[in-house]
Amino acid sequence: MEIKRKRFQGVLNILSFNRHFYIIGLIIWGILIISLIQLELPILWLYLITGAFIYGLIMPLLISAYVYDFSGYYDFKWLKNLELKNSKLDQIVNINAGFDETSYILKNNFPEADLKVFDFYDAKRHTEPAIIRARKVSLVYSNTQQISPDKIPLSDNSTDVIFLLSAVHEIRSYSEKVIFLKECKRICKSNGKVITVEHLRDIPNFFAFSIGFTHFFSRITWERAFKEAGFDSFEETKFTLFMSIFNCHF
């Protein structure tokens, strides 16, 4: 199945899924402006607050457009640097957190491989409005299985590559994250890999998403989690300033 993304689909997704933040932000901005006018404070305060709110509301959309719509992320050309395209892959696994934009694209890139898709979304625990809205429009890959992060229903040493694409940060508990990564290690072949793509809690993402960067985790946290899960190798390459690709194996 050929998947053709719409123009600006990435930034429109961000705006749609997180519209509650934008509505709340505009309401707070309006209240502050009215308060400043009532208090007759210097006009400079109005300019500073307005500028801060415009930056905080617009910058995430600009960065999202760059990363998801113009950088080639969904073209998967960055896979070439991971030396996967020329490898014989019998089984690959793609695991998401309730929103899947990549499984059909992966299948197109690896048509000969058996693709297993899993979703660890839990409606009782993952209650963020953005995830709930994303699930309503997600294109579900055929035979996607719902799982718990602590149990992937595959045999030991059965998988060549596991893709975790902007998903695992939704596992907020560090200990649960390690348990999940141990499951990934269990199903990987001895020469298998786990390819993880994530925004980081770092300076570029702070300037991009302001306080929203706390939704992500630092490189140190990811490295510690993978090593605690039993992976010997933790290699990071940057895909734009705002996203990291972790290539982990053992």
Side-chain angles (χ1 to χ4, degrees):
M1 180 177 181
E2 187 70 26
I3 301 299
K4 184 174 178 60
R5 291 176 60 81
K6 299 177 182 178
R7 191 176 186 184
F8 297 107
Q9 182 173 330
V11 70
L12 290 174
N13 284 345
I14 298 295
L15 184 59
S16 175
F17 302 158
N18 296 282
R19 58 182 178 270
H20 55 292
F21 287 124
Y22 287 89
I23 293 172
I24 293 171
L26 290 173
I27 291 173
I28 294 174
W29 172 73
I31 292 173
L32 287 175
I33 294 301
I34 292 173
S35 300
L36 287 175
I37 294 174
Q38 292 294 324
L39 294 172
E40 298 182 352
L41 294 177
I43 193 69
L44 178 62
W45 282 92
L46 188 148
Y47 289 148
L48 290 175
I49 289 176
T50 298
F53 269 84
I54 290 175
Y55 182 92
L57 295 174
I58 298 300
M59 186 57 69
L61 297 180
L62 294 177
I63 298 302
S64 297
Y66 166 56
V67 171
Y68 297 110
D69 295 313
F70 295 104
S71 68
Y73 174 63
Y74 287 102
D75 293 338
F76 277 62
K77 294 178 181 178
W78 48 270
L79 285 174
K80 293 180 180 179
N81 297 327
L82 301 177
E83 299 180 349
L84 295 178
K85 298 290 287 186
N86 297 323
S87 303
K88 185 181 184 305
L89 304 178
D90 297 316
Q91 180 170 276
I92 61 177
V93 167
N94 189 29
I95 305 179
N96 66 75
F99 181 59
D100 184 3
E101 286 191 301
T102 57
S103 290
Y104 282 106
I105 302 174
L106 281 173
K107 185 59 179 177
N108 288 338
N109 277 271
F110 302 100
E112 302 301 321
D114 177 25
L115 171 62
K116 303 289 187 184
V117 180
F118 300 107
D119 174 4
F120 62 70
Y121 172 81
D122 184 344
K124 294 181 179 179
R125 301 175 63 187
H126 303 150
T127 58
E128 294 186 18
I131 298 178
I132 295 172
R133 293 185 187 118
R135 266 185 83 75
K136 292 180 179 179
V137 299
S138 180
L139 184 62
V140 179
Y141 187 81
S142 177
N143 297 321
T144 295
Q145 296 184 53
Q146 203 76 28
I147 64 169
S148 170
D150 62 356
K151 183 61 179 176
I152 302 173
L154 290 175
S155 303
D156 296 359
N157 308 313
S158 60
T159 303
D160 294 290
V161 182
I162 300 174
F163 290 94
L164 308 173
L165 306 177
S166 297
V168 188
H169 67 271
E170 299 296 351
I171 302 177
R172 306 308 297 172
S173 165
Y174 177 80
S175 60
E176 290 182 8
K177 200 189 316 289
V178 172
I179 291 172
F180 171 75
L181 293 175
K182 285 182 177 179
E183 270 294 280
C184 291
K185 179 179 181 294
R186 179 186 65 80
I187 69 171
C188 269
K189 295 179 180 179
S190 59
N191 60 343
K193 296 182 178 182
V194 175
I195 307 300
T196 305
V197 180
E198 288 284 351
H199 290 282
L200 296 184
R201 189 182 297 182
D202 57 11
I203 291 175
N205 281 293
F206 170 73
F207 284 109
F209 302 104
S210 62
I211 193 65
F213 92 131
T214 58
H215 187 60
F216 310 123
F217 294 92
S218 68
R219 184 190 188 280
I220 293 175
T221 297
W222 284 112
E223 182 174 12
R224 182 160 56 96
F226 272 101
K227 289 187 175 180
E228 192 170 328
F231 290 89
D232 298 325
S233 174
F234 180 86
E235 303 165 3
E236 180 192 11
T237 55
K238 298 297 291 185
F239 182 79
T240 76
L241 281 174
F242 307 100
M243 295 191 83
S244 291
I245 302 169
F246 301 135
N247 180 6
C248 301
H249 47 89
F250 53 95

